[in-house]
Amino acid sequence: MSYTRQPGSIRQQFDAARKAADDILAKAKTENRLLTDAEIKDANDAFDHAEELKPQLEKAEPSSALLDFVRGTPDRNSTSGLKAGAAWAASAADTLVKAATLRSPDGQPQIKALVGATVTVPTVVGPTATNPTRPLSILELIPSIVRPVVDDDAGNRFAYLYESVNTDTAKSVADNTAKPVSVVTMEERSDRYRVFATLSEAFPERFLSDYKNLVRILDRRLAEFVLGALEAAILSGDPATVGRDDFQGILNRTGVQVIPAVPSELIKTLSNAKLALETSFITRPTAWVMNPVDVQKLELLRETGTTGPFMFKSGRSQIESILGDIPIVSTTRITAGTALLGDFDQTLLRVADQMTVKVDGSGTLFDNNQVKLRVEGRFGFEVYRPFAFAKITLP
């Protein structure tokens, strides 16, 4: 029986198409056999129908993150869902295997349908989630939005407003007197999306048929590296760097507050940064970002300088409690000796496209029965209030 498109709403049609494809695969798997030519055609028809409906579905059912963005009120209790790369890798591998099953003819070399193909996999930026006590990455703190499908010519560029001046002069006012003017200057910034990508090493083509090996390759070699490069660009990216195409990182933004080191006073230096934000900005910082080397310096502080109990390992207090109950993100993507404190709700990560995996087995790879994978995605980054961040030089 051939695939028939079902009537109903966009969501109902999409769900029916995906279910039809899944049912065909499940039936062949239950009967422990390969797909017939007719089943391959029907599954492909159902899958293609679902892909056609996806842009309409995204228009009809915008995500909560998109609605928050339109309203200008991102949820400070949400994250981009960027946990470890393992969950993404499993989803990506599953998508690759499913694509190969759908697109291949009968017989053993089903997986060869992937070689030379570009497959859209689940986006590296997932749904929102609650912040952990100690985030593993700043990507868990930054609101994100997948670019909506719109009929315009924006292409690779986007624009947003950022606050360059904030002067509060509000006060009580007597009758018949002029009201004070608070200065909030908004400026427009135009920017573009950047491509973040990496290649795998060449590996035997047969690995593509082994789900566990494929997950390991995607997770350890590709997803983790792409996320790390994205985090580094958000923190300290510089568009002028030769050989790179970074957007401008937070540490290089004009308006970020600069906090000098207090000689031999690590905690006082960090306290000065928190005080600077509290006295000049009304929103509470959401995270510290420090190199693991500097986090260790905090962990090894003693109550009497070089002797006495450790301040943070004796069970008397946690580092975060001393630093204002603000979580610490420990990452090598920030240089040792420099720390960052800020409100990451004043930023936005734009996702231009879903991630793609390119499988290539041409040239000498073909001679050796090998393939390579390329993972890439396009991202943009916005900072609405640069003065909501403090760049700290540590003693």
Side-chain angles (χ1 to χ4, degrees):
M1 180 178 179
S2 60
Y3 169 69
T4 303
R5 300 191 176 195
Q6 301 297 316
S9 66
I10 296 174
R11 164 57 68 181
Q12 291 171 333
Q13 294 181 57
F14 179 83
D15 290 342
R18 292 302 298 265
K19 184 178 185 301
D22 290 341
D23 287 347
I24 293 171
L25 295 175
K27 185 174 186 294
K29 184 176 181 180
T30 301
E31 297 174 359
N32 195 27
R33 61 175 175 79
L34 297 172
L35 295 172
T36 65
D37 290 340
E39 286 174 328
I40 291 175
K41 180 180 183 303
D42 289 344
N44 282 334
D45 288 345
F47 183 80
D48 290 341
H49 186 206
E51 289 298 301
E52 292 173 9
L53 293 169
K54 189 179 294 184
Q56 302 176 52
L57 186 64
E58 291 172 347
K59 280 184 178 180
E61 299 182 3
S63 67
S64 59
L66 175 58
L67 291 175
D68 287 339
F69 174 73
V70 172
R71 297 179 186 130
T73 55
D75 181 6
R76 69 176 292 115
N77 294 318
S78 69
T79 74
S80 61
L82 286 166
K83 302 294 184 184
W88 173 84
S91 298
D94 183 59
T95 302
L96 288 171
V97 172
K98 185 175 291 185
T101 303
L102 287 173
R103 300 298 173 183
S104 59
D106 288 346
Q108 181 63 30
Q110 287 189 344
I111 204 71
K112 288 185 180 292
L114 275 179
V115 179
T118 299
V119 180
T120 299
V121 298
T123 178
V124 74
V125 177
T128 60
T130 303
N131 288 344
T133 302
R134 178 172 285 192
L136 299 178
S137 165
I138 63 168
L139 299 176
E140 298 175 24
L141 302 169
I142 298 174
S144 63
I145 179 175
V146 177
R147 183 171 63 175
V149 179
V150 292
D151 297 326
D152 61 22
D153 297 316
N156 197 47
R157 303 201 66 84
F158 60 90
Y160 64 97
L161 295 176
Y162 74 99
E163 197 171 309
S164 60
V165 178
N166 184 320
T167 304
D168 180 6
T169 61
K171 62 181 180 181
S172 61
V173 181
D175 291 339
N176 304 317
T177 60
K179 278 62 177 176
V181 177
S182 293
V183 180
V184 179
T185 302
M186 304 298 293
E187 296 186 21
E188 186 177 42
R189 178 186 288 268
S190 178
D191 209 335
R192 59 185 173 84
Y193 294 97
R194 265 74 171 185
V195 174
F196 289 79
T198 190
L199 297 171
S200 74
E201 298 172 327
F203 57 88
E205 184 180 303
R206 62 182 176 82
F207 281 9
L208 290 176
S209 62
D210 187 330
Y211 181 80
K212 292 181 180 179
N213 277 339
L214 189 56
V215 170
R216 189 174 299 116
I217 291 167
L218 287 166
D219 177 14
R220 296 182 182 178
R221 296 183 182 177
L222 305 182
E224 180 181 335
F225 296 161
V226 170
L227 295 182
L230 181 59
E231 182 181 43
I234 287 173
L235 286 172
S236 55
D238 184 354
T241 304
V242 177
R244 297 179 63 92
D245 190 31
D246 288 333
F247 32 67
Q248 192 173 43
I250 296 173
L251 293 171
N252 294 324
R253 298 261 173 166
T254 300
V256 171
Q257 301 190 53
V258 178
I259 309 299
V262 179
S264 303
E265 294 283 356
L266 179 54
I267 290 184
K268 185 173 182 179
T269 300
L270 296 173
S271 179
N272 285 348
K274 185 167 71 74
L275 179 63
L277 292 188
E278 289 176 344
T279 56
S280 63
F281 189 62
I282 60 174
T283 299
R284 185 176 183 273
T286 56
W288 299 88
V289 183
M290 301 176 68
N291 187 282
V293 171
D294 296 317
V295 175
Q296 184 192 45
K297 290 178 181 178
L298 280 170
E299 293 173 341
L300 297 181
L301 285 176
R302 294 179 180 269
E303 292 185 358
T304 57
T306 58
T307 61
F310 288 110
M311 292 180 60
F312 304 115
K313 289 190 174 182
S314 62
R316 302 186 186 189
S317 60
Q318 296 293 322
I319 293 177
E320 285 86 352
S321 65
I322 297 296
L323 301 182
D325 289 321
I326 303 170
I328 301 172
V329 177
S330 177
T331 175
T332 57
R333 303 297 174 176
I334 192 169
T335 305
T338 299
L340 177 67
L341 174 65
D343 178 7
F344 287 89
D345 284 342
Q346 305 306 320
T347 65
L348 181 71
L349 179 64
R350 286 177 169 263
V351 183
D353 302 310
Q354 291 198 43
M355 296 288 285
T356 59
V357 176
K358 172 72 175 181
V359 185
D360 183 54
S362 61
T364 58
L365 294 173
F366 177 83
D367 297 339
N368 297 323
N369 202 29
Q370 292 179 314
V371 293
K372 281 186 177 182
L373 301 180
R374 184 183 71 208
V375 173
E376 66 180 18
R378 279 196 303 158
F379 303 94
F381 183 60
E382 303 176 3
V383 178
Y384 301 131
R385 287 173 166 170
F387 47 82
F389 293 88
K391 178 181 178 180
I392 311 146
T393 300
L394 301 176

